[in-house]
Amino acid sequence: MSNYSLVIHGGAGVLASSTMTPRLKEMYLKGLSDAIEAGRLVLKRGGSALEAVTVAVVSLEDCPMFNAGRGSVFTHKGTHEMDASLMEGENLGAGAVAGVNGFKNPIKLAAAVMQKTEHLLLCGKEAELFGIAQGLETASPDYFFNELRHQQWLALRDTNEVKLDHAVQVPNKKMGTVGAVACDMFGHLAAATSTGGMTNKKYGRVGDTPIIGAGTYANNKTCAVSCTGHGEFFMKAVVAYDVSCLMEYKGLSLQEACDYVIKDKLVKIGGEGGLIAVDKNGNISMPYNSEGMYRACGKNEEPSQLFIYESPEMF
Ligand code: ASP
């Protein structure tokens, strides 16, 4: 097989189309375009799905437009706590971190957990010490400071509300959580997801992103999935693994499984969000039940396609 597929997302919450300015749209599309092309380069030269999803997510983490890495939202205490995970479908290898701060690319920390420890999920201070020992690049608090994110937090700080990035009513708000899924030339699958979580989150809250089976899952037998949305619901519905199970045990196609979980099951329990997925044949699915989802996909020699709302965007 000499085909490949790559899909990325920058979050299922988008600015209402009525408030999206041409300048902001251009900035989001640039962030998506840089990430999809970086990941495609890896796949084109015969690189692995795992490498491609890592490279794409690093690019999205470095872009301040999205809620991950540099653009992470503020916690109730005015700090940043990031979650990330990745998984490869060939051997079900996986790594994840939760509630970490001070690393430029939390996805690299998750990769180090997978490659350098016998554990799967590390959290908080100890995970940070592990990252430092691995020589991963750190960043000071001002690297993560972002005026719009700060406004979002100020709007909620004195309330008990915890909000999805896109649900915070601040003009020109930014939103995110990022992810990537890929099928490489050898038919291997991988998924990666990274987030700053929800604005004003408290008590060490951890969402679906670092939970294998909820926010991220990959299995060469079925599919690779990366989710974005209200994490509590994605955990209850075990969304990423559910898509894989519907394919494995019920024989659903990728599209049928994804649509059923996002547009039916999740809607019934009140969960807002979406996911991106690829199967072992390189098929792609990108369903969401929110107003839109920042996303892009690229396959073989076909040009990449970028989306915010339903129709493809010109960039
Ligand atoms: N799923 C993420 C969380 O709940 C947030 C998001 O996707 O925007 O932490």
Side-chain angles (χ1 to χ4, degrees), residues 67 83 164 176-177 195 197-198 205 207-209 227-232:
N67 172 20
D83 305 330
L164 267 185
T177 286
T195 190
M198 291 175 76
R205 180 262 186 193
D208 60 315
T209 300
C227 300
T228 169
H230 197 144
E232 280 69 9

Side-chain angles (χ1 to χ4, degrees), residues 263-275:
K263 296 183 178 170
D264 187 341
K265 283 183 87 168
L266 212 51
V267 172
K268 283 182 182 143
I269 61 168
E272 186 190 355
L275 61 77

Side-chain angles (χ1 to χ4, degrees), residues 226-258:
S226 169
C227 300
T228 169
H230 197 144
E232 280 69 9
F233 293 92
F234 279 70
M235 287 190 276
K236 281 193 247 191
V238 202
V239 167
Y241 186 58
D242 203 25
V243 170
S244 173
C245 287
L246 286 167
M247 295 176 71
E248 185 172 0
Y249 303 138
K250 232 183 161 188
L252 264 55
S253 69
L254 181 77
Q255 192 65 48
E256 287 166 346
C258 291

Side-chain angles (χ1 to χ4, degrees), residues 165-238:
D165 192 17
H166 58 273
V168 183
Q169 294 307 311
V170 173
N172 292 337
K173 61 192 185 290
K174 300 177 185 179
M175 56 210 82
T177 286
V178 307
V181 293
C183 175
D184 64 28
M185 285 183 183
F186 312 100
H188 296 316
L189 305 181
T193 317
S194 179
T195 190
M198 291 175 76
T199 300
N200 210 32
K201 62 184 182 181
K202 291 179 185 165
Y203 318 124
R205 180 262 186 193
V206 173
D208 60 315
T209 300
I211 308 300
I212 294 301
T216 304
Y217 190 70
N219 186 332
N220 274 8
K221 281 204 276 190
T222 53
C223 58
V225 180
S226 169
C227 300
T228 169
H230 197 144
E232 280 69 9
F233 293 92
F234 279 70
M235 287 190 276
K236 281 193 247 191
V238 202

